[in-house]
Amino acid sequence: MESNGKRVAVVAGLRTPFAKQLSAFRELSALELANLVVSELLQRVDLDPNEIQQVVYGQVAPSLQAPNIAREVVLATGMPKSIDAFSVSRACATSYQSAVNIAESIMAGAIDTGIAGGADSASVLPISVSTRLAEALVAATKARSIGERAQIFAGLRPRDLVPVPPAIAEYSTGLSMGESAEKMAKENHISRQAQDEFAHRSHSLAAKAWAEGKFDDEVMEVFVPNRFKDSIREDNLIRKDGELEGYAKLKPAFDRKHGTVTAGNSSPLTDGASALLLMREDKAKAHGFDVLGFIRSYAFAALDPAGQLLMGPSYATPIALDRAGIKLLDIDLIDMHEAFAAQILSKTQAFESKEWAEKYLGRSEKIGEIDWDSFNVTGGSISIGHPFAATGARQITQTLRELKRRGGNLALCTACAAGGLGAAMVLEAE
């Protein structure tokens, strides 16, 4: 990815701690979390806000009060009100999409600097009403008298007054993410033990990364508005002293009788936000920034959600590798979004299968062997948490910082997403 020989640089990345649903951020909306992280990012980076030309930001659970979260972030964080901003949603790959939108604008020469990211709150959710109540509410706005309004509402039944939470199932298949993960576990013969072992690995590595200070500069401390005596500095979902034996005690969450997917080997409902500052390479160097790295290539792909819903990265990765002109063996680090351990183990199984590549990709070679010593080495979504739209930017920042620590050259980040979508991005060190 270059424009006139200039690469797209990731200058800085920052996120809030990720918090379990209804815990530290229980009163904060996605927009409030976004404002916190973008404001802090702007304060940490020595850059005049007038230099920012575009903001692309996203959320998955939409806000009824502020549907264009990107524009609201611009207006709330002290940036010039003239900055262009728009919002995106690509389910769990949302901040991959926002980063790509900024990168493409830079490559096209339309801008040289932009902010991307995403935020979601599993605590503050858009709760809607039934169709009949919605119709009555609209009709009531046109009523000319109290009597007319009373007549409109008189036809409602108690069940029409029950709040409607956000849908958790795929619209096209009726299956939830967890049910789809269970389906993949069965079809790919992924055992409960293997899932639990991977989940324990994720928590252990994330706890180790925090203990070693690896996340200190990429995660901000949040003093919760209106509760300033309360602050959160670290992700509060990580099982720092967890033991593998404890996972076996958990009951299956989706197939109660024969299932293997549990709350312990799945990513939890999470609140949080993240942001990236992207810039054309020559401008970043002219400002003297010690950039985190560069976006070498990216790809999005899709499959039939009635199949193995969460396999999207296995389709997107070979495209991204081809566009980067490399093979998987050239990659120094891999960070794969951990929606479920079953999904991770299904994808790594596919990566290493020549038969799978022939059948589903039409390729004669497998994607490549997984080096587990370079795979999700500082933990992932199962342990750190997964505020849907924030995860991609978290992965990009976390991976580039680890790549730099290790003196590596190339990294691969991937994420599955609802609808059978997948994202893959090749990152390059300075």
Side-chain angles (χ1 to χ4, degrees):
M1 290 182 61
E2 295 183 355
S3 176
N4 298 320
K6 305 301 180 184
R7 296 174 293 179
V8 176
V10 181
V11 171
L14 187 68
R15 67 176 176 90
T16 67
F18 287 176
K20 184 179 180 180
Q21 182 186 44
L22 298 175
S23 66
F25 297 146
R26 61 187 178 276
E27 299 167 0
L28 299 182
S29 67
L31 175 57
E32 289 170 312
L33 290 167
N35 290 339
L36 287 169
V37 76
V38 172
S39 293
E40 181 71 14
L41 179 67
L42 291 172
Q43 290 179 29
R44 293 189 181 196
V45 178
D46 185 17
L47 181 71
D48 185 341
N50 288 288
E51 299 279 355
I52 299 166
Q53 297 158 304
Q54 189 176 72
V55 173
V56 183
Y57 210 83
Q59 64 183 123
V60 175
S63 168
L64 301 179
Q65 290 75 31
N68 187 357
I69 188 173
R71 181 58 179 160
E72 300 302 331
V73 165
V74 170
L75 298 176
T77 55
M79 284 185 274
K81 293 178 173 57
S82 58
I83 292 177
D84 174 39
F86 64 91
S87 301
V88 295
S89 180
R90 190 189 275 271
C92 302
T94 290
S95 50
Y96 281 91
Q97 183 63 62
S98 63
V100 165
N101 280 118
I102 292 292
E104 288 181 336
S105 291
I106 292 173
M107 290 171 59
I111 66 170
D112 54 39
T113 306
I115 289 177
D120 264 298
S121 170
S123 299
V124 182
L125 291 169
I127 305 297
S128 60
V129 299
S130 69
T131 301
R132 284 180 58 83
L133 179 55
E135 291 174 349
L137 290 169
V138 173
T141 64
K142 301 178 181 180
R144 298 181 180 181
S145 68
I146 294 176
E148 285 185 18
R149 291 190 182 96
Q151 188 174 5
I152 290 168
F153 290 112
L156 296 175
R157 299 177 180 180
R159 68 186 181 196
D160 298 326
L161 306 180
V162 177
V164 180
I168 60 172
E170 287 284 312
Y171 185 83
S172 61
T173 66
L175 295 177
S176 69
M177 283 275 190
E179 290 168 332
S180 295
E182 191 68 75
K183 179 174 182 285
M184 292 171 66
K186 290 181 173 69
E187 292 179 359
N188 299 321
H189 308 290
I190 308 297
S191 71
R192 167 70 182 269
Q193 181 178 350
Q195 293 174 58
D196 288 349
E197 287 175 351
F198 182 84
H200 180 59
R201 174 186 188 270
S202 180
H203 282 276
S204 299
L205 291 173
K208 183 173 183 286
W210 269 113
E212 294 175 349
K214 290 184 175 181
F215 293 155
D216 288 352
D217 293 333
E218 64 192 72
V219 182
M220 63 182 284
E221 183 173 11
V222 173
F223 291 87
V224 182
N226 302 322
R227 290 190 284 119
F228 287 109
K229 65 178 181 179
D230 296 335
S231 72
I232 175 172
R233 179 68 185 88
E234 297 184 4
D235 310 309
N236 68 6
L237 306 111
I238 300 169
R239 301 184 184 97
K240 295 182 177 180
D241 300 315
E243 296 181 355
L244 181 58
E245 293 74 19
Y247 292 83
K249 299 176 183 178
L250 299 174
K251 295 180 179 180
F254 304 99
D255 179 349
R256 302 288 186 179
K257 190 173 183 179
H258 303 293
T260 57
V261 177
T262 71
N265 55 43
S266 308
S267 59
L269 291 171
T270 314
D271 305 333
S274 60
L276 299 168
L277 175 63
L278 304 177
M279 193 175 290
R280 198 178 63 223
E281 178 181 9
D282 58 333
K283 181 172 181 178
K285 291 184 175 178
H287 278 77
F289 288 120
D290 181 18
V291 303
L292 296 179
F294 303 91
I295 298 177
R296 174 79 168 257
S297 72
Y298 70 89
F300 296 106
L303 64 143
D304 183 351
Q308 295 201 6
L309 176 74
L310 305 175
M311 290 292 282
S314 298
Y315 292 78
T317 293
I319 301 172
L321 293 175
D322 287 349
R323 289 175 177 173
I326 60 174
K327 301 288 187 181
L328 191 66
L329 56 83
D330 298 313
I331 294 292
D332 298 299
L333 281 177
I334 298 176
D335 192 291
M336 187 177 286
H337 162 50
E338 301 169 357
F340 303 88
Q343 153 258 329
I344 286 283
L345 298 173
S346 292
K347 286 207 287 281
T348 54
Q349 183 184 89
F351 270 44
E352 297 181 333
S353 171
K354 182 175 184 290
E355 293 74 18
W356 190 91
E358 290 173 341
K359 182 176 180 180
Y360 295 102
L361 303 178
R363 292 171 176 257
S364 59
E365 296 181 355
K366 62 186 176 185
I367 300 172
E369 294 289 328
I370 299 296
D371 177 2
W372 290 96
D373 290 332
S374 62
F375 186 92
N376 289 22
V377 294
T378 47
S381 300
I382 287 176
S383 53
I384 293 170
H386 176 39
F388 310 121
T391 289
R394 187 271 298 168
Q395 289 181 275
I396 292 168
T397 301
Q398 188 169 319
T399 302
L400 281 173
R401 292 180 65 86
E402 182 65 18
L403 189 67
K404 182 172 286 193
R405 280 191 290 267
R406 293 182 174 222
N409 182 40
L410 296 169
L412 171 71
C413 288
T414 78
C416 56
L421 302 176
M425 183 175 286
V426 176
L427 302 169
E428 185 174 14
E430 169 62 63

